[in-house]
Amino acid sequence: IAGITQAPTSQILAAGRRMTLRCTQDMRHNAMYWYRQDLGLGLRLIHYSNTAGTTGKGEVPDGYSVSRANTDDFPLTLASAVPSQTSVYFCASRGDGLNTEAFFGQGTRLTVV
Amino acid sequence: AQSVTQPDIHITVSEGASLELRCNYSYGATPYLFWYVQSPGQGLQLLLKYFSGDTLVQGIKGFEAEFKRSQSSFNLRKPSVHWSDAAEYFCAVGPGGYNKLIFGAGTRLAVHP
């Protein structure tokens, strides 16, 4: 089934550790995004990529990095996790056509302790 | 600045009652508007979208939304709510194509039997 796969589904991480959240899509979408979801704040954009080889900063990029080596994969890395990065992380992609919506993965629930 | 406001954080309705979830946006150009639904522990699923044309759009699960440019609103409605509609609902705005979407903080809907 075509879509977006995120891994892991959930993770408990010690503060100061490095962590990479994985995201893979098979829809050949050029644009991909990472959002974090926090209660009362909705979804906030962390980083995005409009095409392979390019990335950009979203609303809350500090403490996160991304790479886009190919069309399908868009990993999000926390270099040194802090408790404020406890959140649910969603990866999304969007097609090139003008009238397209974003498709979302199932999310990664990350707890930093 | 681009933004989306969902004034109601929580709404409770009785099963069979009508529903309206409010969404107001601030956007400098022609907006592309979306409503997504998130069931507990799940990712986001698209309910409906508006790009142009008829300002009343129909979506899945019996939902509809009306775009009112003069009020900068895109309210979601359903004439008769089912218990399975209990979820969190997000309004989003963005340009067309691959560009990133801006989300509101969400409205959590509870349905009483």
Side-chain angles (χ1 to χ4, degrees):
Chain A
I1 298 177
I4 298 178
T5 302
Q6 291 184 237
T9 303
S10 65
Q11 181 75 44
I12 299 174
L13 184 68
R17 297 296 296 268
R18 179 184 180 91
M19 174 78 188
T20 295
L21 308 185
R22 300 185 297 278
C23 175
T24 299
Q25 54 106 355
D26 60 3
M27 296 176 283
R28 307 302 294 170
H29 287 168
N30 279 315
M32 297 187 74
Y33 316 91
W34 275 106
Y35 289 89
R36 60 177 289 174
Q37 183 182 20
D38 302 289
L39 191 64
L41 298 176
L43 280 78
R44 294 180 293 168
L45 184 67
I46 304 171
H47 284 286
Y48 65 94
S49 169
N50 287 338
T51 189
T54 69
T55 62
K57 294 182 179 181
E59 184 183 358
V60 287
D62 294 343
Y64 305 95
S65 64
V66 292
S67 62
R68 188 86 184 278
N70 56 62
T71 298
D72 298 342
D73 301 300
F74 191 42
L76 176 74
T77 297
L78 289 68
S80 180
V82 295
S84 62
Q85 293 177 309
T86 294
S87 187
V88 181
Y89 292 85
F90 286 100
C91 180
S93 71
R94 192 176 182 191
D96 291 344
L98 199 60
N99 299 340
T100 60
E101 68 268 26
F103 293 84
F104 284 81
Q106 292 299 298
T108 294
R109 181 173 296 276
L110 179 66
T111 302
V112 182
V113 298
Chain B
Q2 304 166 10
S3 66
V4 177
T5 301
Q6 294 181 243
D8 305 304
I9 298 173
H10 290 101
I11 285 183
T12 301
V13 299
S14 298
E15 191 169 19
S18 63
L19 172 70
E20 182 170 27
L21 303 183
R22 295 182 291 165
C23 172
N24 294 97
Y25 65 89
S26 173
Y27 194 73
T30 300
Y32 287 65
L33 295 155
F34 308 83
W35 274 100
Y36 284 84
V37 60
Q38 183 183 31
S39 297
Q42 300 297 311
L44 278 74
Q45 179 185 20
L46 181 72
L47 278 177
L48 48 78
K49 57 189 177 184
Y50 172 78
F51 297 133
S52 64
D54 193 344
T55 57
L56 184 64
V57 294
Q58 303 296 320
I60 63 171
K61 305 184 180 187
F63 285 92
E64 66 178 26
E66 185 172 11
F67 170 59
K68 293 186 177 180
R69 185 184 298 276
S70 62
Q71 299 178 19
S72 297
S73 68
F74 188 56
N75 294 348
L76 182 72
R77 300 194 294 250
K78 187 170 185 178
S80 178
V81 171
H82 188 263
W83 65 266
S84 61
D85 293 324
E88 189 150 20
Y89 292 80
F90 292 95
C91 181
V93 65
Y98 53 76
N99 297 283
K100 53 190 179 291
L101 298 181
I102 305 298
F103 284 82
T107 297
R108 184 171 297 276
L109 174 67
V111 180
H112 280 179

